[in-house]
Amino acid sequence: MGRSVALLWAGPMGARIPIPPHSHTAGTPHTQLWLQELELYFTEPQQLLDIFTKLEEQNLSLIQNTQEMEETLEELSFTLKNTQIRMDREVNQLKQWITTLMMSIAKEEEMAAELQLKARVFHFGQYKGALEDKVLESLNHKVLDVYRHCVSTQQESNLGTVQMLTIIEQQLDDLLENLERVPQIKVEQAEKAKEKERRQRLREEKAKMQKQQQEERLQRAQARAQAEIKKKKGRKLVCRSRPPAMKTKEEPEFELLDKEKEEQLFFFT
């Protein structure tokens, strides 16, 4: 019981350093509290390295997340820009279509006004019935010809002239819409091909016509060569010569003046 107990305090790296028992601060409460406060949190170096490694991994993870967010933001910005450009292009195209439709509506209204005027003229009886039937029949034949060449080679029995015109107009609108969607380069190439084909056809027709004319000239020359030679008999006919023109003799002015003076002297002297 009478032994003195040596106190220990935590030194660096967890080392226990004894305090001499004869120290005047060894048994006080302040000394014990101070010894408790001096205890280190890390007892081994590996603990500090583990914490640094963990913090570094967290930092790398945060950097990676930041880079991924930046890439996502760039992709969203690029997508937004492309979407804006596409929407502007579609809006411009829709505006052009609206303008085209307005022009088509105006043309259709003009055609409707003309047809209404013609209907009134027919209704008022300015045309005779036989002539009107003849005109309608001719119009029906023309519409049927266009329908067979552009839509179908077989005419349905229940289709009238107005219905065929409606189908032709619908197909024409579809073709115009498809033509607007075709790239301009392809349209120019098709136009060049058609122009080349037209020139080739004209050259062929011209060559064919020249060949036909040459054959006709050869046939005429061959016919003249094979024809019998007719000898002319009698005197050769010549054109009659015209008689010489009569020339009037003009007297000079001074002779006329002398005659007038002689007459005045003869009658008045």
Side-chain angles (χ1 to χ4, degrees):
M1 298 295 293
R3 291 182 181 179
S4 61
V5 180
L7 298 176
L8 300 176
W9 66 282
M13 304 301 292
R16 301 290 181 173
I17 300 174
I19 297 176
H22 59 272
S23 176
H24 64 279
T25 60
T28 61
H30 295 286
T31 303
Q32 294 177 359
L33 181 61
W34 176 72
L35 290 175
Q36 291 178 0
E37 290 178 355
L38 288 178
E39 290 182 358
L40 293 176
Y41 179 77
F42 300 104
T43 58
E44 295 180 1
Q46 188 64 32
Q47 295 178 353
L48 187 60
L49 293 175
D50 292 339
I51 290 175
F52 281 148
T53 305
K54 187 176 181 181
L55 291 174
E56 187 177 2
E57 290 177 355
Q58 291 179 358
N59 191 13
L60 291 175
S61 178
L62 291 174
I63 292 172
Q64 186 176 1
N65 292 333
T66 305
Q67 291 178 353
E68 290 178 356
M69 290 180 66
E70 289 179 354
E71 291 177 357
T72 305
L73 183 60
E74 289 179 357
E75 291 178 357
L76 289 174
S77 300
F78 183 73
T79 305
L80 179 62
K81 186 177 180 180
N82 290 335
T83 305
Q84 185 68 30
I85 293 172
R86 181 172 55 82
M87 292 297 292
D88 293 338
R89 185 170 60 250
E90 290 180 357
V91 168
N92 293 329
Q93 188 175 6
L94 288 174
K95 288 181 179 179
Q96 292 178 359
W97 285 355
I98 290 171
T99 305
T100 305
L101 288 175
M102 294 297 292
M103 294 174 64
S104 300
I105 290 171
K107 290 181 180 179
E108 293 294 334
E109 289 178 352
E110 291 179 358
M111 291 177 62
E114 292 179 359
L115 292 174
Q116 188 175 5
L117 179 60
K118 291 180 180 179
R120 288 179 181 177
V121 171
F122 278 110
H123 180 70
F124 290 150
Q126 294 186 7
Y127 290 94
K128 296 181 180 179
L131 182 60
E132 182 179 349
D133 294 337
K134 188 176 181 180
V135 172
L136 291 175
E137 186 178 359
S138 176
L139 180 61
N140 188 11
H141 285 302
K142 290 182 180 179
V143 173
L144 180 59
D145 189 13
V146 174
Y147 182 83
R148 287 177 177 175
H149 283 85
C150 299
V151 180
S152 177
T153 56
Q154 297 180 357
Q155 182 192 11
E156 298 181 4
S157 59
N158 56 351
L159 288 179
T161 306
V162 179
Q163 293 176 350
M164 287 190 291
L165 284 173
T166 304
I167 295 173
I168 292 170
E169 186 176 1
Q170 289 178 357
Q171 187 169 3
L172 180 61
D173 293 336
D174 294 338
L175 291 174
L176 290 175
E177 289 180 0
N178 293 330
L179 181 62
E180 291 178 356
R181 296 174 184 174
V182 175
Q184 188 66 24
I185 298 175
K186 292 186 178 180
V187 175
E188 292 177 356
Q189 291 177 356
E191 289 179 353
K192 289 180 181 179
K194 286 292 183 182
E195 184 67 20
K196 185 177 180 181
E197 184 180 354
R198 186 183 66 83
R199 291 178 180 176
Q200 183 68 23
R201 186 173 63 254
L202 290 176
R203 284 196 294 268
E204 291 177 356
E205 291 178 356
K206 186 176 180 181
K208 185 177 180 181
M209 187 178 296
Q210 290 178 355
K211 185 177 180 181
Q212 185 177 0
Q213 291 177 357
Q214 187 176 2
E215 289 178 356
E216 291 177 356
R217 286 196 297 269
L218 290 175
Q219 289 178 1
R220 288 196 298 268
Q222 188 176 2
R224 286 195 301 269
Q226 293 177 357
E228 295 180 358
I229 300 174
K230 295 181 180 180
K231 294 182 179 180
K232 295 182 180 180
K233 297 179 180 180
R235 190 176 178 181
K236 185 178 180 181
L237 297 176
V238 294
C239 296
R240 184 178 178 181
S241 61
R242 293 183 179 180
M246 299 297 293
K247 295 183 179 180
T248 57
K249 187 177 180 181
E250 296 181 356
E251 296 181 356
E253 293 182 357
F254 65 89
E255 292 182 357
L256 295 175
L257 293 174
D258 292 340
K259 288 182 179 181
E260 290 179 357
K261 288 180 180 181
E262 289 178 358
E263 289 177 356
Q264 288 179 359
L265 292 173
F266 179 77
F267 290 107
F268 296 103
T269 56

